[in-house]
Amino acid sequence: KKISNSFRNHYIMYEEFKELKDGNKELKGKQYNLDYLKVENERLKKIIDEYIVDTDKLVAKVLLDKESPFLKSIILNKGSKNGIKKGMIVLDDIHLIGKIVEVNYLTSRALLASDINSKVPVSLEPIGIQAIMSGTGKDRGVLQYVNIENIENNNEDLKVVTSGAGSVYNSGIPIGVIENINDLSSGEIPVKFFKDFTQLKYVKIVSNEKVTVDQSNKEEFELDTKQIADINNQKNKFDIL
């Protein structure tokens, strides 16, 4: 009986090992694909001489949630004293929350993506259709200037990310997902946000500026960018340790 139990446990462990091994292969494949896309993105930026400068991320605490039937904004405990400027992007982890619209010395106000005055240029992935997402004053957004027929035949949920058009938001910031694509009889295309804006406690404020680099300082800029990237990679390794 002991030998039988031992073989049974060994078989279960072996099956779990195979499952973990397959999962590890899949994750490695996704990581290789991500690395390739990063390199390809950098190559394309060099072709057009356009670079994105990542500034330091500031963490701010939500002091007040200014909510009305339609208007949605939050007050943060960081202001011009901390280098906050109008137009900066507000994130929760990696997801878009909104942008800074008012700045005082000690505080600032961020307009949420759910506000009816919010207009965000977006892209529907993986099909790449461009649109404008507008807030509704509720816990969802709605897409404008997009033909419903272009997405009705799609069999998978579409991810909504910032497109980068207009240079207001950086491209590729996750916002939400379009569900129930086959049921768009209402004529609206609703966007379900990844984050619940009523449960925000801490947010990140970032400012990514587009810089066009001429040939005179291109090599110096690339060297500085590489050094910054190496330092960030070393910091991440130390954080993991």
Side-chain angles (χ1 to χ4, degrees):
K1 184 177 180 180
K2 289 182 179 179
I3 294 175
S4 176
N5 290 335
S6 177
F7 273 108
R8 186 181 296 109
N9 292 334
H10 176 75
Y11 179 76
I12 293 173
M13 291 178 63
Y14 179 72
E15 289 297 322
E16 291 178 348
F17 168 76
K18 285 178 61 180
E19 184 178 350
L20 291 173
K21 187 176 181 180
D22 293 339
N24 189 39
K25 285 183 179 179
E26 183 179 355
L27 289 175
K28 283 185 177 180
K30 290 181 178 179
Q31 184 62 45
Y32 293 148
N33 186 44
L34 179 61
D35 292 340
Y36 168 77
L37 292 176
K38 286 182 178 179
V39 173
E40 183 72 5
N41 190 32
E42 291 298 327
R43 186 181 68 83
L44 293 175
K45 288 177 184 177
K46 290 179 181 179
I47 291 176
I48 62 175
D49 285 340
E50 186 182 67
Y51 295 80
I52 301 294
V53 179
D54 243 348
T55 63
D56 293 335
K57 298 178 176 63
L58 295 175
V59 178
K61 184 178 181 180
V62 178
L63 298 178
L64 181 64
D65 187 358
K66 297 181 68 176
E67 185 172 334
S68 72
F70 300 103
L71 304 179
K72 308 285 183 179
S73 64
I74 53 177
I75 304 298
L76 307 175
N77 70 336
K78 295 290 176 66
S80 58
K81 174 185 177 182
N82 309 102
I84 303 299
K85 299 179 181 179
K86 289 179 64 174
M88 283 186 166
I89 303 171
V90 181
L91 306 173
D92 183 6
D93 192 13
I94 61 172
H95 304 98
L96 180 69
I97 297 301
K99 67 176 180 179
I100 302 295
V101 292
E102 291 182 10
V103 180
N104 297 318
Y105 184 65
L106 296 176
T107 62
S108 57
R109 184 168 74 92
L111 187 72
L112 300 180
S114 58
D115 189 282
I116 59 173
N117 297 308
S118 175
K119 307 291 182 182
V120 182
V122 297
S123 177
L124 310 184
E125 301 300 338
I127 58 178
I129 292 179
Q130 307 293 303
I132 299 294
M133 189 197 74
S134 176
T136 61
K138 301 178 182 178
D139 58 350
R140 62 181 177 85
V142 63
L143 294 184
Q144 298 176 332
Y145 311 110
V146 60
N147 191 346
I148 293 180
E149 295 178 357
N150 292 335
I151 66 174
E152 277 184 325
N153 297 325
N154 195 72
N155 295 323
E156 57 181 329
D157 290 343
L158 295 177
K159 306 298 187 298
V160 180
V161 301
T162 55
S163 66
S167 301
V168 178
Y169 299 94
N170 298 331
S171 60
I173 303 176
I175 301 175
V177 62
I178 301 174
E179 297 178 329
N180 301 322
I181 294 176
N182 296 322
D183 183 20
L184 299 175
S185 56
S186 64
E188 289 189 345
I189 306 176
V191 178
K192 180 182 179 182
F193 296 124
F194 285 128
K195 291 294 182 179
D196 184 357
F197 295 161
T198 64
Q199 301 298 317
L200 299 174
K201 189 173 181 181
Y202 295 97
V203 296
K204 289 191 296 187
I205 305 174
V206 299
S207 173
N208 294 336
E209 301 175 355
K210 287 187 177 181
V211 178
T212 301
V213 182
D214 57 25
Q215 295 298 324
S216 62
N217 60 355
K218 184 176 180 180
E219 293 183 359
E220 180 181 354
F221 184 87
E222 290 180 350
L223 179 61
D224 291 341
T225 303
K226 184 178 183 302
Q227 291 175 345
I228 293 173
D230 291 340
I231 293 173
N232 287 334
N233 289 333
Q234 293 177 8
K235 179 180 179 299
N236 291 335
K237 291 179 180 178
F238 280 116
D239 290 340
I240 293 174
L241 291 175

